[in-house]
């Protein structure tokens, strides 16, 4: 066994063990009949992406879960892959083309797609390599890409199937349009942003009464040439004589437009009169449909005003056109007023430009299995963590709108629809789409392709990633399903994702799974679902894509801003790994990420993660230097080395704390409280083991009779600690596992089994070891004494001083406990001396489990500062007492809680009340 080096070098250890894991195929997902599976599918990062701090948190949590599952003996699969990211990827390649003064249309569709594939093969997937540096234990041999041929087949299978069922249709409707990427966007791809603009007040002259005007307010005067009417509320008394009359449009080609009444008009907004521009506003479009009004589109797809806007505006970019329109209205006298106006404007999530409402032909999807998707979450088949997100999810499903699934792009899954040559697509109705003589919808194209033209549009990226949990496991090819283990690994176990894509992805995956994941027999015919009617609870349970969804918080900077490249406030994770090690970054980021809450990034906490790793390294090195290891090959082998006759109170206490920490970490995993698990492990290892047990063990290591047993206890504690810590910090724990002799040649720490507290206790009892509860309690009192004494010194800037005397006022029983451990307590508190006093006046003090400790200061004490400190402590304690009293007064608690829990709460209250009495006495003494 090699000697543990003096200092921990993360880079060397990380390279060594990741290579070893990869060479041994340690992360391979294997179908093992009779063994419980645990499956995670990675939220596929964009193929254009690079590692961000958000990715670090998300993927660290996934790795923690999958490594913990391996330690628990489950057959695990963490399936990685990337998303083709239609808009983002096409934009990147088009940007490269522009550098050579080329456009994709210069190349043509097929050559452009070749360029995209070349770019993807050269630069795509970088993020997956970066995840390896983080320690991600994915089954990399199964890496998927949403444009792989088999995945494309799955996507098109779903389209054809849903089209034939009537869920997919083609319609000309108002969509969110991105002028930069020139494609439709779903509502979920639009981000609302506050914008400071101008509200223009414009007048329209009445045709039959020159000199009389109706005034409207608008933020978009450039769209006035598209106005086809003015609408007022039918019950607005101001316009009773205007309805049915006409006004002259004040901008663009001359036109007389009607004034009509519609109840959708808000009488309280502006003047109560609304200009109707059906081609450029969703509400206007709806009014136009009701009144059979024409639509005049004054904007081209790229956001430039077209000839319908008139010669003075045509050719201008939309925002330049807005300024010019205002000038023209001002010159004609039609512009009555301008005033600052703040409102929310929809922006394209990808291109970060204002979207335009636009009337276009698109493909739409009526969502399948909506009611069952509600039931899946409402009835607990799928559990959200935190649970509050279930309300958001259910609210969205209650108000769900059809999904615009077509995109005007070239990179993506091309829609498998062919039109007969010569057909006017603008004239195709719903019945025509079902006429095979006019439209052909299939996986393999028409039988005579020379007479057909394929649809230009591709599918929305999310219309492929919603199949991710099962398309990555071979669906819809039965042989591929068998090889991938679909029936074994599906439903997956846990999804870790951000709440910002709960609608984009989570809800849609649930509906896709419910629609397509029937029994193996039903899936034998690709695309057929197992049941045509409403699914039973048992069928829902079998079809859902995952059992748990954990929603991470958003990582923000110290000012509360979301981290982003544009703000320059996001650290480079690879630089953090270089500085603090992958384990330090993982431990630190999880420590600041409580369940479901937004996270304020603090680099000093990442540094704390590195410091913890160094502490672990040094503690294990100290153990190795303290004496030879015995048989550390298994838990039973170590327990067999324990000599119960040599146990003292500290031995009982450290094993009790080890079992308690094991139980707490188990609870944290069960409840998805990863930050709390890290804090429990940190507190146990740093405080209970290193600061206490290792320190008090030093004397025993000098005693040959006690030495062997003491080292065996350290070996037992370190073994369990490494197992508990491994999911969080895998590299250093793997290294130390082998350095301390826990591992054997060719096997890794994850080949061991993580025993829970009851299993360890059972193994110990079989060797005659039963924990002494009185001894454990006594040690806890001593630790409380040391902790409070140290805090008192620190409060007075004396933490590092070892020449301070501590006075104690205590009952005889308390002082007996102190005097029996006087040398140890003096050393651990860093005091020169600890002595008993009957009474102490005017000195800073703190209440401990073993009496009151006073600080003997050579200089005069600042009585005011000491009073303030004690008053603050008393205030906090009073709040704790009130909370405990309220808990015990709650009948729901006392009727349901176990007797031991109630007794514990009562004992806690008694202790708090006694401490309050002592604090009040100390405050009075300082008056």
């Amino acid at each position: 066994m090699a000697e543990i080096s003096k200092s921990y070098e993360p880079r060397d250890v990380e390279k060594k063990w990741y290579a070893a894991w990869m060479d041994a195929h340690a992360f391979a997902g294997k179908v093992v009949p009779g063994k419980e599976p645990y499956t995670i599918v990675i939220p596929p990062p964009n193929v254009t992406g690079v590692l961000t701090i958000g990715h670090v948190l998300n993927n660290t949590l996934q790795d923690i879960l999958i490594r913990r599952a391996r330690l628990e003996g489950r057959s695990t699969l963490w399936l990685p892959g990337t998303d083709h990211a239609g808009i983002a990827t096409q934009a990147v390649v088009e940007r490269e083309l522009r550098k050579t003064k080329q456009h994709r249309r210069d190349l043509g569709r097929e050559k452009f797609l070749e360029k995209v594939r070349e770019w993807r093969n050269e630069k795509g997937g970088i993020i997956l390599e970066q995840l390896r540096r983080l320690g991600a234990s994915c089954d990399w041999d199964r890496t998927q890409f949403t444009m792989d041929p088999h995945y494309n087949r799955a996507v098109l299978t779903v389209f054809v199937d849903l089209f034939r069922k009537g869920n997919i249709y083609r319609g000309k409707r108002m969509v969110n349009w991105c002028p930069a990427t020139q494609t439709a966007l779903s509502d979920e791809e639009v981000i609302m942003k506050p914008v400071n603009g101008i509200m223009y007040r414009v007048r329209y002259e009445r045709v039959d009464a020159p000199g009389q005007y109706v005034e409207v307010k608008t933020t978009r005067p450039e769209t006035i040439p598209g106005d086809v009417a003015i609408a007022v509320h039918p019950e607005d008394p101001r316009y009773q004589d205007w309805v049915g009359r006409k006004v002259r449009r004040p901008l663009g080609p001359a036109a007389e437009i009607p004034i009509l009444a519609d109840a959708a008009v808000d009488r309280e907004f502006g003047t109560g009169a609304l200009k109707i521009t059906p081609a450029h506003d969703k509400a206007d479009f709806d009014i136009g449909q009701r009144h059979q009004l024409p639509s005049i589109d004054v904007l081209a797809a790229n956001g430039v005003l077209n000839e319908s806007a008139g010669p003075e505006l045509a050719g201008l970019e939309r925002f330049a056109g807005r300024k010019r329109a205002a000038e023209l209205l001002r010159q004609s006298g039609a512009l009555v007023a301008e005033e600052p106006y703040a409102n929310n404007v929809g922006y394209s999530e990808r291109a970060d430009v204002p979207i335009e409402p636009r009337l276009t032909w698109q493909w739409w999807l009526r969502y399948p299995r909506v009611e069952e998707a509600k039931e899946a979450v409402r009835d607990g088949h799928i559990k959200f963590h935190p649970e509050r997100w279930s309300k958001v999810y259910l609210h969205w499903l209650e108000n769900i709108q059809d999904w615009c699934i077509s995109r005007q792009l070239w990179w993506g899954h091309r829609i498998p629809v062919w039109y007969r040559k010569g057909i006017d697509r603008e004239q195709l109705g719903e019945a025509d789409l079902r006429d095979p003589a006019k439209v052909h919808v299939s996986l393999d194209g028409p039988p005579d392709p020379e007479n057909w033209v394929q649809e230009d549009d591709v599918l929305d990226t999310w219309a492929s990633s919603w199949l991710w949990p099962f398309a990555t496991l071979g669906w819809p090819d039965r042989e591929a399903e068998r090889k991938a283990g679909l029936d074994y690994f599906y439903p997956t176990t846990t999804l870790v994702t951000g709440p910002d894509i709960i609608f984009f992805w989570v809800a849609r995956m649930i509906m896709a799974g419910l629609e397509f994941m029937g029994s193996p027999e039903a899936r034998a015919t690709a695309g057929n679902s197992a049941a045509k009617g409403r699914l039973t609870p048992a069928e829902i349970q079998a079809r859902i894509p995952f059992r748990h969804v954990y929603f991470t918080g958003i990582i923000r900077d110290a000012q509360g801003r979301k981290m982003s490249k544009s703000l320059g406030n996001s650290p480079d994770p690879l630089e953090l790994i270089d500085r603090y090690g992958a384990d330090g970054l993982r431990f630190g980021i999880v420590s600041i990420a409580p369940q479901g809450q937004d996270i304020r990034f603090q680099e000093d906490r990442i540094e704390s993660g590195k410091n913890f790793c160094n502490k672990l390294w040094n503690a294990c090195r100290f153990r190795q230097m303290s004496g030879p290891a015995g048989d550390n090959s298994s838990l039973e082998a170590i327990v067999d080395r324990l000599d119960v006759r040599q146990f003292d109170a500290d031995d009982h206490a450290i094993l009790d704390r080890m079992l308690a920490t094991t139980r707490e970490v188990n609870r944290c995993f069960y409840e998805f409280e990863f930050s709390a698990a890290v804090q429990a492990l940190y507190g146990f290892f740093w405080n209970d083991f290193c600061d206490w047990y290792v320190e008090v063990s030093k004397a025993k290591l000098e005693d040959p009779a006690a030495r062997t047993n003491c080292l065996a206890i350290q070996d037992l504690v370190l073994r369990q600690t490494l197992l508990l810590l491994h999911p969080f910090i895998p590299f250093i724990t793997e290294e130390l596992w082998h350095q301390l002799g826990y591992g054997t040649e060719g096997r890794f720490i994850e080949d061991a089994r993580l025993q829970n507290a009851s299993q360890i206790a059972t193994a110990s009892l079989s060797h005659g070891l039963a924990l002494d509860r009185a001894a454990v309690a006594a040690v806890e009192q001593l630790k409380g004494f040391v902790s409070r004494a140290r805090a008192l010194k620190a409060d007075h800037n004396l933490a590092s001083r070892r020449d301070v005397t501590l006075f104690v006022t205590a009952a005889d029983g308390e002082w007996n406990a102190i005097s029996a451990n006087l040398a140890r307590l003096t050393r651990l508190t860093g005091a020169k001396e600890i002595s008993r006093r009957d009474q102490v006046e005017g000195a800073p003090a703190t209440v401990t489990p073993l009496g009151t400790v006073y600080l003997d200061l050579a200089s005069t004490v600042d009585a005011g500062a000491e009073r303030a400190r004690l008053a603050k402590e008393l205030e906090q304690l009073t709040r704790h007492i009130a909370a405990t009293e309220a808990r015990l007064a709650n009948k729901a608690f006392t009727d349901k809680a176990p007797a031991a829990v109630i007794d514990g709460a009562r004992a806690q209250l008694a202790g708090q009340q006694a401490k309050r009495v002592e604090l009040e006495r100390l405050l009075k003494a300082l008056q």
Side-chain angles (χ1 to χ4, degrees), residues 644-660:
V644 180
R645 297 167 300 176
Q646 294 289 337
F647 268 51
D648 62 14
D650 292 303
D651 299 328
H652 285 281
I654 193 62
L655 293 183
D656 176 74
R657 289 293 303 125
M658 181 186 76
L659 296 177

Side-chain angles (χ1 to χ4, degrees), residues 753-868:
R753 289 295 164 263
L754 174 62
Q755 282 85 1
N756 60 37
S758 62
Q759 290 170 325
I760 298 172
T762 299
S764 301
L765 283 171
S766 67
H767 287 71
L769 171 59
L771 294 180
D772 183 336
R773 308 310 309 177
V776 171
V779 171
E780 288 304 309
Q781 287 186 320
L782 294 175
K783 287 160 70 175
F785 179 93
V786 170
S787 174
R788 297 299 300 162
R790 285 176 173 174
L792 181 63
K793 289 177 61 183
D795 286 344
H796 292 83
N797 299 316
L798 298 169
S800 60
R801 293 274 295 272
R802 308 189 70 84
D803 59 350
V804 177
T805 296
L806 299 177
F807 298 134
V808 180
T809 60
D812 290 343
E814 294 169 338
W815 179 251
N816 289 341
I818 293 172
S819 60
N821 297 275
L822 194 58
R824 177 200 301 187
L825 294 176
T826 303
R827 183 176 75 255
L828 292 175
T829 57
K832 175 184 177 183
E833 178 187 357
I834 299 175
S835 62
R836 188 182 189 187
R837 291 287 188 273
D838 292 332
Q839 187 175 353
V840 180
E841 299 291 345
T846 187
V847 181
T848 82
L850 295 174
T852 301
V853 175
Y854 297 84
L855 204 55
D856 179 27
L857 299 179
S859 58
T860 303
V861 176
D862 184 342
E866 182 62 8
R867 278 196 302 270

